[in-house]
Amino acid sequence: MAGLWSAIFAALPVTEADFPLDFSEKIEPSLVEVLKQCRQQLYSGRCQWMQDAQIILDFSWEKLNTGTWRDVDKEWRCVYSYGCLFKVASLCREDASAVKVQEAIRTCDMGLLMGASIMDNVLQRIIRILQNKVWKSHYKEDPNEGVSPKALAVPRIRCPSLERFKNDYLDTQKPVILEGIIDHWPAFKNHPWSLEYLQTVAGCRTVPVEVGSRYTDENWSQTLLTINEFIDQYIVKNTTDLGYLAQHQLFDQIPELRDDILIPDYCCLGDGDEDDITINAWFGPGGTVSPLHHDPQLNFLAQVVGRKYIRLYSPEDTDKLYPHQSQLLNNTSQVEVESPDIEKFPEFVNAPYLECVLQPGDVLFIPVKHWHYVRSLELSFSVSFWWS
């Protein structure tokens, strides 16, 4: 965590006098005084303003949740963002443990989702610092080594209403991580998915297995194995060869597993009915990769077991991603995302992207045609729902 606070403080105005806190009479004078007190403590080097920051957040949160969202005055959203900023500063000022940094990242995301942009979008700059300085080192790998575009975190939101998801993400085609929407699945509650459970339910079943770390590799192939054989060969023995179970019919083939998952309610916003939704299974060891590609439908990627690193690029930057020219792979980039050939693909470094580590219980919304790169950080089981 060395240097984290210095980097955050460097993203703020140089002096207290340059730190704007200009509000109209709509904001209670007593609350403005609390804001000014936090500002003064920030520049005086003291770090005991967490309580004041929480007062700001609690007070403004009530204003944000009174009436409809369109009626919330922007000044109150700004107050909420300042509260998030002061809370993050308090969390990271001294003992910036991994737990505190994760809370700081979540706090920044809440400010970005519920607040308004302040000081030239300072929360975005701070969350980038938190990721670059802490998050990637926490996972012991830097997935962006050798690449230096602006990387932003995929925003997170917990259990949004159908209306809010439609207005803020579906209609605008913006990626988002939905939290708390699959916690009730039997795959988490009744009989949590594990190797032992999978072997008990379907160990003797024969399924297609992809051999190779990614489908663009020359030595990539497919074979048929029982699930027990797949687990023994590619997971238990942990061979250098990588195998991946990517099955579009697994849940039709093994209804016991299909009963453990539920279609997200948000799919009802689509044009088709439930029978038009394609459900896919993705199961394999750490290190397996889905190359940078895009799909023709909307996608909910639900993480059940393990973690995955995911990077997303907008369709607007397709030219910078160098799709294959062949008809078969024209939805797939030629670039090795984590070790790009800059001489061959020079514009790739200019393509901005979003990134995240998908945790168990997270659901990532991937809009149509959004490019995405996926790498399993460990043994992983994901379920994706393709819908229109």
Side-chain angles (χ1 to χ4, degrees), residues 77-217:
R77 293 171 59 199
C78 287
V79 170
Y80 184 81
S81 291
Y82 277 109
C84 291
L85 173 60
F86 290 130
K87 181 177 179 179
V88 168
S90 179
L91 287 166
C92 298
R93 179 64 181 86
E94 285 190 342
D95 178 25
S97 65
V99 172
K100 285 187 177 181
V101 171
Q102 287 296 333
E103 185 178 354
I105 290 173
R106 181 179 293 274
T107 300
C108 283
D109 279 334
M110 288 300 297
L112 293 170
L113 288 168
M114 301 297 294
S117 177
I118 57 173
M119 294 190 295
D120 194 25
N121 215 358
V122 67
L123 291 179
Q124 282 283 23
R125 300 200 303 276
I126 289 176
I127 203 170
R128 193 177 306 136
I129 292 166
L130 292 169
Q131 286 182 281
N132 290 340
K133 296 283 186 180
V134 181
W135 198 10
K136 295 167 189 171
S137 64
H138 176 68
Y139 291 109
K140 300 180 181 179
E141 293 185 55
D142 182 0
N144 301 313
E145 185 177 357
V147 185
S148 57
K150 285 186 176 180
L152 301 178
V154 179
R156 290 174 171 267
I157 186 170
R158 187 167 186 83
C159 301
S161 66
L162 290 173
E163 180 182 14
R164 183 172 180 196
F165 172 76
K166 181 179 185 299
N167 292 339
D168 292 354
Y169 301 103
L170 181 58
D171 289 349
T172 59
Q173 291 291 280
K174 293 181 179 178
V176 65
I177 294 173
L178 305 176
E179 299 178 339
I181 71 167
I182 61 172
D183 295 349
H184 61 292
W185 279 9
F188 291 103
K189 292 290 187 182
N190 298 17
H191 24 67
W193 281 5
S194 64
L195 289 181
E196 293 75 15
Y197 175 71
L198 189 59
Q199 289 178 298
T200 299
V201 171
C204 62
R205 305 297 296 275
T206 298
V207 294
V209 171
E210 298 181 1
V211 179
S213 63
R214 64 194 74 196
Y215 64 77
T216 52
D217 289 349

Side-chain angles (χ1 to χ4, degrees), residues 307-326:
R307 300 169 299 141
K308 284 184 171 178
Y309 170 75
I310 301 176
R311 194 185 290 190
L312 296 153
Y313 292 84
S314 168
E316 296 177 358
D317 294 301
T318 293
D319 290 345
K320 298 183 181 73
L321 306 182
Y322 301 92
H324 283 274
Q325 297 303 305
S326 69

Side-chain angles (χ1 to χ4, degrees), residues 193 197-208 225-228 245 247-261 281 381:
W193 281 5
Y197 175 71
L198 189 59
Q199 289 178 298
T200 299
V201 171
C204 62
R205 305 297 296 275
T206 298
V207 294
L225 296 173
T226 67
I227 288 180
N228 280 337
L245 195 163
Q247 243 286 34
H248 304 296
Q249 291 86 32
L250 182 69
F251 296 113
D252 292 332
Q253 184 183 354
I254 306 173
E256 293 89 348
L257 290 178
R258 176 63 181 86
D259 292 341
D260 288 342
I261 63 173
F381 204 134

